[in-house]
Amino acid sequence: MATTAGAIRDAMLALVTAITPAKHAGQKFLAHREQSDFRTHSEKNPGGCLRRFSIRNLNDRGAPAVTTGSVEEISETFEVVVAYPIDGRHGGKFLTGLDDVISSDINQIHHALHVANSPAGATVLRLSDDREMDEQAGIAFAVIRYRVDYYWSLT
Amino acid sequence: MITARTQEVLYDPDAVYSTQYLVLDCEDGRPSSVSDVQVWTAGTDDDSTEESATTGSASVESSPNTTIATAAVGPAQSDPRAMVVSSGSGFTVGRRYQITEDNGGHWEVFECAYANGTTIKARHPLKNDYSVGSTVQSTRVTIALSSSWLAEIANISPHWTPNPGYRAKWILTVNGNATEYATYFDVVRYVAQHRVTPPDVDMVHPGWIDGLGPDDQVDQGRRCIEAAFEAVKHELYRDNKADQALRNAEMVSRLVIHRCQYDRLLNNAMRGAGNAEALALGKAAWDGYYQGVIRSPVAPVDEGGGGASQPNKRTPVWRR
């Protein structure tokens, strides 16, 4: 079944938005509107960035694994970035409390996108996850990269 | 609003309003009793005759005065803002309450952001863990104001000064000790208002609603607007102008809207999210409008206290 990167991305957005977080359960994931670069927007407004996230496909498609001339199987990297202000809202543990929240969120996102569900027509495999800290700007990012295999139509 | 705000009560010659009360939110805990409440005008010593402003006895608010039920609350739980209490009676969104640990004595003050039956949510995650049985209480004391005193035109506070017209002295017993507190209030024809809604701010500064922090999303940023209004009031005080005397709602709204955006940029900059250019632009928008309508003779003010207004006086150059 052929699909598009945009449809896969939108399906991933919906799956992450539907997550009920295990920590700070009342603060759900909120999709960035993509009116500007997500990291820049979050760094300029750290107070409003808790669990805001962005999913972008990186357009790094290589040669197709399979092709019929009208449909090809390709692989592409999708990047999920979640923002967290570095503050003391995680109880008395401060930074390690934030570490625990980020770890829990990464686990739940991975479960939503790979274990429990996958976007229709796509196979999602986690490549890496990382945490970026910008203490001067008071913000941290969880960055998860997935390899997504899907069929896209050439017609 | 901040705890130590100057209260405004309405001049009521026609007995239109229901009973008005003086309010004290005690920051040290729930008082166990109230001994006395005395009222004087601002320029009168405590040794002078009191105003006959109050009627009846002061009382400690009867509810909320409840306990944590069902499960422990705090950062160790999945939602560190949520709590289930034994009785949901009396909880009001926007009010502040004290939660005190049953086994240890630590306590904190939280603002109620959600109240539905016995399910209460704090605006900000609690900082400490609280076990079942911990108390959740109002710390408010009130006393009714005399309707006949509020009907006397001579009791309207002077409109030409930003300082409160009356002070109230409360003698309470808190944590086993007799303690006194002072609150301040004005009797006014019009309470100071801003009339600003979140979409108003977003219309002038697109993206403002989108950038709200997690604790401010629940009320769409209305608390941020209240904070901006208080900042506007304090700028007026610095210019020796009374906030309740301004008689142009559109100008007051615009001041608050610009202040909302400036506060957002300032708070981000103070957190280290340095965007000096944006901060300078936000300050210029705020400063420019304030200078143009408040420090110049533009905004109408009610200096006589009768309700009518005349153009503002220009702020002397050496005071700007």
Side-chain angles (χ1 to χ4, degrees), chain B residues 1 194 196 221-231 256 260:
Chain B
M1 290 182 284
H194 56 74
V196 176
R222 286 192 295 276
R223 190 182 67 159
C224 298
I225 295 173
E226 290 300 325
F229 182 46
E230 293 209 358
V256 172
C260 283

Side-chain angles (χ1 to χ4, degrees), chain A residues 9 35 38 58 85 88 95 105 112 123 129 132 139 141 147:
Chain A
R9 181 195 59 234
Q35 71 271 42
F38 177 61
L58 301 189
L95 290 177
D105 285 356
T123 302
D129 58 72
E132 300 171 2
I139 193 162
F141 295 102
R147 191 189 79 200

Side-chain angles (χ1 to χ4, degrees), chain B residues 265 274-284:
Chain B
L265 296 167
N275 187 348
E277 187 177 329
L279 181 60
L281 286 170
K283 189 174 191 302

